[in-house]
Amino acid sequence: RAAGSGNAFVDDWDAWRLAGPYLAVHIIASAMYIVLHKRPCSTYPPIFVAASSFLIASLPLCLATVVSGSLHHIHWSVFNTTPGVVVIFYAAVLTTAFNYGLVAWATRETSPTTVTSFQTLQPLFAALLLWFVYGTLPSQGQAVGSLQIVIGLFLFTAARPSEPTTVGSEPLQGREAAVSGCSTAYSSTDSA
C-alpha cells in the first residue's frame, strides 16, 4: 500500500497524475533518441555517437549547475571517498556509457523499432533482480505484466517482413542496409 491516504488506488492515481506527463516526455524522448541515431550509427562507430550525444547533453546540465549555485565544495565531496568514486564509476561507465553504446550498436545493426521493443524487458529484469537481491517476490500484476511482455516480444520476433530490403538480388541486413541508404525496417526503393 502506498504512503499517504488509506486508499491505495487513490494514491496510485495521484502518482500517475503527477508523474504521467514526465513519463510521457521520457518515452517520446527515448524513442526520438533511438530513431535519430540510426543514420549517424551507420557512418560513425556507435560508441562515438553515444559519447557525442552525452557531450551535447552535458552542456545545458553544466550551465544549470553553475546557475543553481551547486559549485560549493561540499556538493563535490563524494569524490573524496572510495565508495563514492566506485558508485559514480559504476553509474557513469557501466550503466550509462556501456548501455548507451550497446543501444547505439543495436540500432545500427537492427532497427529502432527492434531496439525499443526489447527495452520493454527492463521492468521484467527489475522485478527479477528485486526478487534475487532482496527476496521480494513480484506482485501478481508484475508477473502478469512480465508474461505479457514476453508474449509481445515473441510475437514481434516471430513476425517476419514480407519482403527483405534488397539491392540488386542480394538481401541486406544490419549495417549494410543502413550504409546503402536503405533500412531493414524502411525500404527506399520505389515500387513501380
Side-chain angles (χ1 to χ4, degrees), residues 53-70:
S53 300
F54 277 100
L55 178 64
I56 293 167
S58 69
L59 298 176
L61 291 176
C62 289
L63 180 63
T65 301
V66 169
V67 170
S68 71
S70 296

Side-chain angles (χ1 to χ4, degrees), residues 44-127:
Y44 302 105
I47 194 69
F48 175 78
V49 174
S52 299
S53 300
F54 277 100
L55 178 64
I56 293 167
S58 69
L59 298 176
L61 291 176
C62 289
L63 180 63
T65 301
V66 169
V67 170
S68 71
S70 296
L71 294 176
H72 194 270
H73 71 83
I74 196 72
H75 296 134
W76 299 93
S77 64
V78 71
F79 292 108
N80 297 336
T81 64
T82 302
V85 172
V86 169
V87 167
I88 289 174
F89 174 78
Y90 171 76
V93 175
L94 294 178
T95 63
T96 303
F98 179 71
N99 287 339
Y100 277 92
L102 283 178
V103 166
W105 174 81
T107 303
R108 180 186 74 186
E109 296 299 319
T110 62
S111 72
T113 307
T114 301
V115 174
T116 54
S117 295
F118 278 87
Q119 285 186 336
T120 59
L121 288 172
Q122 290 176 356
L124 171 68
F125 279 97

Side-chain angles (χ1 to χ4, degrees), residues 94-170:
L94 294 178
T95 63
T96 303
F98 179 71
N99 287 339
Y100 277 92
L102 283 178
V103 166
W105 174 81
T107 303
R108 180 186 74 186
E109 296 299 319
T110 62
S111 72
T113 307
T114 301
V115 174
T116 54
S117 295
F118 278 87
Q119 285 186 336
T120 59
L121 288 172
Q122 290 176 356
L124 171 68
F125 279 97
L128 290 174
L129 280 172
L130 184 66
W131 174 52
F132 181 72
V133 174
Y134 294 109
T136 304
L137 289 173
S139 69
Q140 188 177 17
Q142 291 170 332
V144 169
S146 297
L147 181 63
Q148 290 174 340
I149 289 170
V150 171
I151 291 170
L153 286 173
F154 175 75
L155 292 173
F156 177 81
T157 56
R160 299 282 179 226
S162 58
E163 297 178 12
T165 303
T166 60
V167 171
S169 62
E170 295 294 318

Side-chain angles (χ1 to χ4, degrees), residues 2-29:
S5 70
N7 189 341
F9 178 75
V10 172
D11 290 338
D12 287 346
W13 177 252
D14 287 341
W16 273 106
R17 183 180 53 80
L18 295 173
Y22 297 104
L23 182 61
V25 168
H26 170 70
I27 290 168
I28 292 167

